[in-house]
Amino acid sequence: MIQETPNSRHSTNRSGAEHRDVIVIGAGVSGIYAIKRLTDLGFDAIVLEADDDLGGTWNRNRYPGCRFDSESYTYGYSFSNEVLDEWHWKERFSSQPENLRYLHFVADKFDLRRHMRFNARVDRMEWDEADHLWDLTLVDGRRYTARVVVASLGPLSAPTLPALPGMDSFGGQSFHTFHWPKTALNLAGKRVGIIGTGATGIQIIAEIADKVEQLTVFQRRPNWSSPLNNAPISADEMDSIRARYDEIFAACAATPGGFEHQTRWGFWDHTPEERKALWDELYRQPGFAILAANYAEIFLDEDANREMSDYIATRIRQRVNDPAVAEKLIPTDHGFGLQRLPLETNYFEAYNRPNVELVDISQHPIEEVTATGLRTTAADHDLDILVYATGFDAITGAYDRIDIRGVDGQRLADRWSDGPLTYVGLLTSGFPNFLMVAGPQSVSGSTNFPRAIEGGVEWVTGLLEHVRQNGYQRFEAQPGAEQDWQKEVVRAHERLLLRRSKGWFTGYNANVEGHQEGTVRYQAYFGGAPRYTSRVTEIAETGYPGIEFASIDRADAARRHS
Ligand code: NAP
């Protein structure tokens, strides 16, 4: 396909736009691998990255305590033996600075920066049906055309702020966690306020509680949380991990969440004492073992989930000295594991410190941000720094923030206003030659992210090779195939207790119009990684049913470009 078109090989074409065969949007974990594979396969491709450097989520989230909650060696790329041999993960759950170093190491090793354009935020992209091209405009007015666009936008890259009166009037420093300053921020002697107790807030609170003068946590709904159980990885341990890499990645591919931890069944076959003994063990184990190696019934059965939730509630009561504070930290509106579980290190102990105060804003809502702090209906809180750990317009938000117009000028944001519609999370009808790595309704939102994105990149590049070999210039998901996938996404979602929870998994975000309580957006595929992988593999191996391919009329194209 791609080399044979009139605009092929990069060139400057109509209206001074630079043309490429493939444009990848986003230089995060998925964009880095996408450009590696595309250029290895000989595609004329570049990456447009809004930020001033590569790294995506690990370049942006620089808040204290930011780290993996997937085991580092299951999070890293598997595609290169050299990378696997050379990189030493220093901690079981590696921290943000190290994770960013890792992504730089990979990009530099394969000289990928030369394919990346930074400070290149795509504002608008429009499908040109006559020429079968995407026309892209950046916020600074630069223009590109591309036969194919690959969106590697990340599921959590559109931060959202609450709409509080007076936010602009605050006299101290305030920012969303996604925009934590890149330059060192001195917290010593500061009165810090933090709104939000999701995975981000929980990491920050635990990390800074003993470093600030006063920490005030404004919590609307508590989250369940359990220990990360981080530890260093010695050189010897790293050697044995390296020797096991094939086994590790094979195990991740075989589990629903893309981790080594193996889910089990048999909740009701065991006695309460046996179940407690398992949970005591899992509570001490690293990472998501408490979820991913637990009984599968806790995600499906109300009674099983309640018993598990009671177990974690007891743990919280044991760790928090003040019983009234402990009760405020125990969720009552959703069960354990039914929203994205934050993992913590000494989070609950932070509330035993005299300089940490938990303010329950479900009881006493925030009235306004003032010049000197925050006012709730109960009190004024003086602050030097105000941190918004208020989350993201997850999964579809980054797509909505680009004005993407497909066939007949249809806007993607309009098409997805009630929730995304996709073909296996990789294409969406009405938007030809547009591919999504780790897109909505793929498995990535619900699993160990890089394990899913490597598969996504390989599928996308496999499709592009198929298109090239067959001389096609246009491909588009068929609506019928999309409807069938929608049914599968809904079926997987409706099986799980999480269907009723208010978290980003189910598209809930009180700060985003249309994502508030009462709406259901089927944003992620919850059927598990093995089932997803076998579905998309089958599509590729059977000639891509559900996708319509077409060739451009060469004579007509040549006439237009002569
Ligand atoms: P989040 O889970 O969506 O949490 C946002 C928090 O802000 C919630 O506590 C929410 O309260 C609160 N909030 C939002 N708007 C508010 C308002 N108007 N007033 C008061 N409170 C408000 O966001 P997050 O903590 O940034 O985490 C998002 C995801 O990022 C995680 O689930 C995870 O997937 C990823 N992450 C991963 C790691 C890691 O370890 N690898 C670390 C951090 C984040 P309500 O619950 O009441 O809405």
Side-chain angles (χ1 to χ4, degrees):
M1 116 188 170
I2 288 168
Q3 281 81 344
E4 297 168 21
T5 63
N7 285 326
S8 192
R9 302 320 295 182
H10 72 267
S11 57
T12 302
N13 62 14
R14 51 191 180 170
S15 317
E18 181 178 327
H19 179 76
R20 299 287 174 157
D21 290 341
V22 185
I23 287 185
V24 177
I25 308 179
V29 178
S30 37
I32 290 170
Y33 183 39
I35 196 63
K36 163 83 173 101
R37 205 163 158 85
L38 284 164
T39 51
D40 281 354
L41 292 170
F43 289 102
D44 171 33
I46 56 167
V47 185
L48 300 178
E49 165 58 52
D51 226 318
D52 61 358
D53 208 342
L54 60 84
T57 204
W58 301 108
N59 184 39
R60 262 286 150 223
N61 289 284
R62 291 170 181 250
Y63 59 82
C66 183
R67 62 177 61 249
F68 289 151
D69 48 17
S70 304
E71 281 77 2
S72 309
Y73 47 86
T74 70
Y75 189 102
Y77 295 114
S78 70
F79 70 83
S80 160
N81 284 337
E82 280 177 67
V83 169
L84 294 172
D85 285 346
E86 289 171 30
W87 186 260
H88 178 169
W89 291 108
K90 306 286 190 329
E91 290 177 279
R92 190 180 280 269
F93 301 96
S94 176
S95 67
Q96 174 272 329
E98 186 73 350
N99 306 343
L100 188 56
R101 265 194 292 282
Y102 170 75
L103 294 176
H104 282 223
F105 163 75
V106 173
D108 292 342
K109 179 169 189 59
F110 300 113
D111 197 12
L112 300 177
R113 280 174 182 279
R114 68 199 157 104
H115 308 298
M116 296 177 180
R117 307 289 176 269
F118 299 118
N119 299 307
R121 180 180 293 281
V122 179
D123 181 44
R124 178 184 166 99
M125 48 183 272
E126 202 167 356
W127 174 245
D128 175 342
E129 189 65 88
D131 282 345
H132 294 186
L133 290 175
W134 281 101
D135 214 322
L136 295 91
T137 308
L138 308 193
V139 287
D140 62 9
R142 275 180 287 166
R143 300 255 322 274
Y144 290 86
T145 55
R147 179 69 71 210
V148 174
V149 171
V150 176
S152 296
L153 302 177
L156 295 160
S157 55
T160 51
L161 287 166
L164 299 171
M167 280 168 71
D168 290 339
S169 67
F170 182 59
Q173 262 183 295
S174 71
F175 40 79
H176 190 281
T177 48
F178 193 71
H179 296 120
W180 192 282
K182 285 189 175 178
T183 49
L185 182 66
N186 184 12
L187 296 172
K190 298 282 173 28
R191 297 162 302 173
V192 178
I194 178 159
I195 304 176
T197 50
T200 304
I202 284 175
Q203 285 187 332
I204 300 174
I205 291 160
E207 181 70 22
I208 70 171
D210 63 352
K211 299 178 181 65
V212 300
E213 181 182 309
Q214 170 70 31
L215 180 59
T216 312
V217 177
F218 299 91
Q219 173 188 270
R220 189 164 57 186
R221 288 186 311 139
N223 252 300
W224 295 102
S225 188
S226 61
L228 178 66
N229 295 319
N230 194 15
I233 298 178
S234 69
D236 284 349
E237 282 167 321
M238 196 61 224
D239 283 344
S240 61
I241 288 168
R242 284 198 192 95
R244 275 197 326 112
Y245 262 134
D246 285 348
E247 188 191 316
I248 289 170
F249 291 127
C252 291
T255 60
F259 296 101
E260 276 193 286
H261 312 291
Q262 297 286 336
T263 315
R264 67 193 83 209
W265 292 91
F267 186 98
W268 299 113
D269 300 334
H270 294 126
T271 64
E273 293 70 29
E274 286 167 334
R275 295 195 284 266
K276 182 175 175 306
L278 172 68
W279 295 335
D280 284 345
E281 172 58 26
L282 294 180
Y283 202 76
R284 287 191 295 269
Q285 280 191 17
F288 284 119
I290 192 87
L291 277 187
N294 211 323
Y295 299 107
E297 287 91 337
I298 69 162
F299 304 106
L300 303 163
D301 178 319
E302 301 265 12
D303 292 333
N305 184 271
R306 192 170 306 111
E307 188 177 313
M308 178 68 210
S309 302
D310 288 345
Y311 172 86
I312 300 289
T314 302
R315 288 290 197 163
I316 295 171
R317 290 185 187 107
Q318 286 164 351
R319 292 174 58 185
V320 178
N321 295 343
D322 181 336
V325 174
E327 291 313 309
K328 284 184 181 163
L329 291 167
I330 297 171
T332 53
D333 73 329
H334 67 282
F336 180 81
L338 305 186
Q339 290 182 187
R340 186 355 183 119
L341 179 73
L343 298 177
E344 48 83 28
T345 305
N346 296 328
Y347 172 65
F348 294 106
E349 287 73 13
Y351 294 98
N352 297 334
R353 299 182 57 82
N355 67 329
V356 177
E357 182 187 2
L358 180 64
V359 176
D360 180 355
I361 54 172
S362 69
Q363 257 191 325
H364 300 291
I366 298 170
E367 279 190 339
E368 62 175 322
V369 182
T370 66
T372 54
L374 259 186
R375 176 172 301 140
T376 69
T377 53
D380 274 304
H381 300 269
D382 288 341
L383 305 168
D384 302 307
I385 296 173
L386 175 56
V387 179
Y388 294 96
T390 45
F392 298 87
D393 185 355
I395 302 186
T396 50
Y399 291 84
D400 290 348
R401 289 181 185 192
I402 302 174
D403 185 1
I404 302 175
R405 290 166 191 254
V407 173
D408 296 331
Q410 179 182 211
R411 290 179 69 230
L412 186 62
D414 291 340
R415 181 156 198 268
W416 286 359
S417 59
D418 294 331
L421 273 174
T422 72
Y423 183 38
V424 289
L426 291 154
L427 304 95
T428 182
S429 72
F431 296 80
N433 296 16
F434 180 59
L435 291 159
M436 301 173 287
V437 176
Q441 302 190 330
S442 73
V443 81
S444 71
S446 57
T447 58
N448 191 2
F449 186 69
R451 300 282 55 79
I453 71 101
E454 276 190 334
V457 166
E458 283 151 22
W459 194 93
V460 159
T461 49
L463 174 71
L464 292 181
E465 279 190 290
H466 174 79
V467 164
R468 177 165 67 182
Q469 279 159 12
N470 288 281
Y472 301 129
Q473 280 85 35
R474 189 187 193 283
F475 55 90
E476 183 183 351
Q478 293 174 313
E482 207 169 52
Q483 289 302 333
D484 289 346
W485 181 243
Q486 181 73 0
K487 284 184 200 139
E488 218 164 311
V489 169
V490 172
R491 207 168 24 243
H493 182 112
E494 294 298 329
R495 262 181 85 226
L496 299 172
L497 294 173
L498 68 73
R499 67 187 177 273
R500 288 196 289 272
S501 69
K502 293 196 293 181
W504 67 264
F505 274 177
T506 47
Y508 170 81
N509 184 325
N511 304 313
V512 181
E513 195 62 47
H515 294 231
Q516 282 112 348
E517 207 161 352
T519 55
V520 181
R521 293 170 60 89
Y522 298 103
Q523 304 216 127
Y525 174 62
F526 288 109
R531 191 187 296 257
Y532 180 79
T533 305
S534 80
R535 182 81 184 89
V536 297
T537 305
E538 184 196 351
I539 292 170
E541 286 176 354
T542 53
Y544 298 98
I547 302 176
E548 193 171 76
F549 297 93
S551 305
I552 213 168
D553 180 331
R554 282 177 205 294
D556 185 43
R559 266 194 305 280
R560 270 200 311 280
H561 289 276
S562 62

